[in-house]
Amino acid sequence: MEFLDAEATKAHINVDNAQGSVFFPGAARIDPALLTHGLARVLRTQGVTICEDTAAGHIGKNVVSTNRGPVTGDTIFVCLEGYSDTVSGDLPGLAGRQVIPVFSSMIATDPLPTSAWEDIGWEGRECLGDTAHTFIYAQRTDDDRIALGGRGAPYAFGSGLPGDGEVPAEVVDLLRTRLSSLFPDLDFEVAHAWPGALGVTRDWCAGIFFDQDRRIGVTRGYAGHGVTATHLAAKTLLDRSSGQPTPLTSLPWNDHFSGRWEPEPIRWLGIRSMHRIFTIADEWEAITGAKKTSLLARFGSRLAGLHE
Ligand SMILES: Cc1cc2nc3c(=O)[nH]c(=O)nc-3n(C[C@H](O)[C@H](O)[C@H](O)COP(=O)(O)OP(=O)(O)OC[C@H]3O[C@@H](n4cnc5c(N)ncnc54)[C@H](O)[C@@H]3O)c2cc1C
């Protein structure tokens, strides 16, 4: 792996007529599907068996019950993130509402013509994000679409899961509107939309746990930033399971207790209210040209358990 030098990773800050932007030249992007397939290929060549389409149920010492029969092992790692509630057992870091699924959804336009890209730019395939409280993120894909994501309807009562691929029409509309607001003259069609679940803890911090006696490890709570964090978490779990202290086992996310989410219906009401508050705060800050975070958004952050 090649590392960028410090100069190349310095942020470029641009402030113009109270509109600000920050450019990080060292930012990189990866294709997560390619990463997953590449990992699977390497693991298989090393003799690892991967069981797809197999749902784990109860997890106990040395055994995982699945819909295709029990799987035994000396050490078991539970890395289900937003889907952690789909398994049962006395699992470290998961007992009693410690992680919930929060939805994030994306849309992708049809491939845009060269004339559109001449206006938009993004020649370096830059990754883009705004800093709204209800933020969006976007990029130009290899086949010249815009892929844009955000959190529309972020939570379903009782920690419901997003299902297989259906994005509610109002969420697609919301993401489409956000894209139109960035490029009012752009003529585009939404070709694809897909949702997914993130694992979020009460303080939005990730945690890594390992029960030495039963040799069961758990990671969870990346809150939408797990593509790279999972790599570090996996290495940390391996070190934990070796029983030897290492620099990774002393990182603060080891055994970090984030608190517990409120029981329903308070949880649903709280998360819905928080999302509404952030939406209004974004509108208010845009209308007033606020240079500081509004009081409303600060209140929303406190409600959400976010660190300001
Ligand atoms: C739309 C969207 C955009 C995102 N964008 C970014 C981004 O730009 N950058 C970033 O860092 N992160 C991003 N994330 C978050 C990132 O995808 C996650 O943090 C990361 O995938 C977490 O990895 P994981 O392996 O811990 O969990 P997951 O990738 O969620 O994997 C959990 C796996 O467990 C499987 N599973 C669930 N239940 C069971 C069961 N009972 N038995 C067996 N298997 C089960 C699931 O099918 C899934 O494959 C995004 C997420 C979404 C949804």
Side-chain angles (χ1 to χ4, degrees), residues 155-171:
Y155 179 73
F157 188 86
S159 294
L161 288 164
D164 280 337
E166 276 298 305
V167 184
E170 67 268 22
V171 176

Side-chain angles (χ1 to χ4, degrees), residues 124-143:
R125 311 272 161 177
E126 295 86 355
C127 301
L128 169 108
D130 67 10
T131 51
H133 304 294
T134 55
F135 62 86
I136 53 101
Y137 47 92
Q139 61 178 285
R140 177 179 180 176
T141 65
D142 284 349
D143 58 354

Side-chain angles (χ1 to χ4, degrees), residues 104-302:
S104 196
S105 303
M106 294 195 74
I107 55 169
T109 64
D110 274 331
L112 301 180
T114 311
S115 55
W117 285 114
E118 278 164 5
D119 284 343
I120 297 169
W122 298 359
E123 282 153 20
R125 311 272 161 177
E126 295 86 355
C127 301
L128 169 108
D130 67 10
T131 51
H133 304 294
T134 55
F135 62 86
I136 53 101
Y137 47 92
Q139 61 178 285
R140 177 179 180 176
T141 65
D142 284 349
D143 58 354
D144 281 342
R145 304 166 193 269
I146 293 179
L148 178 142
R151 309 216 175 125
Y155 179 73
F157 188 86
S159 294
L161 288 164
D164 280 337
E166 276 298 305
V167 184
E170 67 268 22
V171 176
V172 176
D173 274 349
L174 185 135
L175 296 175
R176 184 191 282 119
T177 306
R178 293 292 284 269
L179 181 52
S180 295
S181 73
L182 290 176
F183 302 108
D185 296 331
L186 182 67
D187 187 19
F188 67 91
E189 292 293 331
V190 173
H192 304 285
W194 65 96
L198 321 168
V200 178
T201 61
R202 194 63 184 87
D203 66 356
W204 296 71
C205 293
I208 297 176
F209 305 83
F210 190 72
D211 177 336
Q212 279 290 355
D213 292 337
R214 296 185 304 137
R215 299 199 59 74
I216 297 177
V218 170
T219 66
R220 83 310 184 253
Y222 307 106
H225 301 285
V227 170
T228 48
T230 42
H231 179 70
L232 185 64
K235 285 179 145 183
T236 308
L237 255 190
L238 281 175
D239 283 4
R240 293 283 301 268
S241 67
S242 77
Q244 299 300 318
T246 70
L248 293 185
T249 62
S250 63
L251 289 176
W253 62 354
N254 282 282
D255 299 315
H256 173 71
F257 178 63
S258 294
R260 294 182 203 286
W261 285 97
E262 292 74 4
E264 296 289 18
I266 301 169
R267 182 158 81 234
W268 182 84
L269 273 171
I271 295 170
R272 283 284 163 139
S273 312
M274 173 199 82
H275 193 252
R276 191 75 199 116
I277 286 170
F278 282 148
T279 306
I280 297 169
D282 278 335
E283 285 163 7
W284 174 255
E285 289 174 20
I287 291 167
T288 59
K291 293 197 174 64
K292 285 202 298 192
T293 303
S294 60
L295 274 177
L296 193 59
R298 282 169 197 261
F299 171 69
S301 295
R302 186 154 291 196

